[in-house]
Amino acid sequence: MKKILGLVLSTSMLFYVSLANADKAVLAGGCFWCMESDFEKLPGVTDVVSGFTGGTLENPTYRGNHQGHYEAVEITYDAKQVSYQQILDHYWVNIDPFDGRGQFCDKGESYLSAVFVANEQERALAEKSKQAVIAEFPKQKVVTPILDSSTFYPIKGAESYHQDYYKNSPLRYKAYRWNCGRDQRLKEIWGDRATHG
């Protein structure tokens, strides 16, 4: 019994240690259903949570007040499998960096794109990746900002159906994504580098 208990405790400790060692990235790219879908398919990503960030209002909700906040995702990833740079590379080819009114069919401040950075190292990598996009498209204005991270509010409670929406309501999700023109626009900008969620 002691051996079993010891095994359970050591396994639990390993689980918590691995969680403690996990890195997080917060990105806004319009519809968080689509961002969840796009990032959960990236090897090394262990979890993607939909929510709000960037505003000063506490506890924003989807149907209620989320003024000043971006729809965003908090991405948990194993840095031994995927780097922050690779997260950024995947991000850019899954957004329209030129749209200052929102993303694809979703318009308004909560649908704007943004990279939220937690420290100077992330900021340097994010700024460098943005400069690479600017250099690739010299005739277009890249409007996606690099912003300091702020409190991330996961969608919860009665609105929890937004989490993993693409898995739980696949037909509705696919219809929304197609009708929104997301993949068509991504292919137009990024060609074969665009991923399809």
Side-chain angles (χ1 to χ4, degrees):
M1 186 67 175
K2 285 182 180 177
K3 284 183 181 177
I4 292 171
L5 186 59
L7 182 62
V8 168
L9 286 173
S10 62
T11 305
S12 298
M13 290 300 286
L14 284 173
F15 175 73
Y16 287 114
V17 167
S18 69
L19 281 181
N21 290 337
D23 287 308
K24 293 185 186 291
V26 176
L27 303 168
C31 169
F32 41 40
W33 299 343
C34 298
M35 291 288 285
E36 261 197 68
S37 170
D38 293 338
F39 275 93
E40 285 192 348
K41 293 173 180 140
L42 186 64
V45 168
T46 56
D47 193 26
V48 183
V49 176
S50 289
F52 293 101
T53 196
T56 56
L57 176 75
E58 291 185 10
N59 303 310
T61 59
Y62 187 79
R63 293 249 178 243
N65 189 357
H66 53 261
Q67 185 175 3
H69 282 282
Y70 292 74
E71 275 198 19
V73 289
E74 183 181 65
I75 301 157
T76 304
Y77 64 98
D78 180 350
K80 291 177 183 170
Q81 294 183 53
V82 62
S83 67
Y84 184 67
Q85 182 64 60
Q86 289 170 307
I87 295 282
L88 291 170
D89 292 344
H90 191 70
Y91 171 72
W92 290 110
V93 299
N94 280 288
I95 66 158
D96 179 348
F98 315 117
D99 192 339
R101 297 185 308 121
Q103 286 288 291
F104 313 101
C105 67
D106 295 314
K107 304 302 178 190
E109 66 178 13
S110 65
Y111 294 110
L112 295 171
S113 60
V115 177
F116 292 90
V117 294
N119 52 53
E120 286 310 307
Q121 184 182 5
E122 284 188 2
R123 177 173 291 282
L125 289 169
E127 292 287 2
K128 187 176 178 184
S129 71
K130 180 177 177 178
Q131 288 306 314
V133 175
I134 290 169
E136 186 175 346
F137 299 96
K139 294 181 180 176
Q140 297 188 69
K141 184 178 181 184
V142 174
V143 296
T144 303
I146 312 298
L147 303 172
D148 288 332
S149 63
S150 57
T151 304
F152 179 82
Y153 295 95
I155 293 246
K156 55 189 178 184
E159 298 182 333
S160 293
Y161 66 90
H162 286 290
Q163 306 293 357
D164 290 322
Y165 188 84
Y166 79 100
K167 290 179 189 170
N168 299 327
S169 302
L171 294 178
R172 286 182 181 165
Y173 168 71
K174 285 176 183 171
Y176 157 78
R177 185 165 179 133
W178 173 259
N179 289 326
C180 198
R182 189 175 185 110
D183 293 325
Q184 300 90 311
R185 175 65 176 145
L186 289 174
K187 188 162 181 61
E188 184 183 317
I189 300 169
W190 301 105
D192 292 337
R193 288 179 291 166
T195 60
H196 302 292

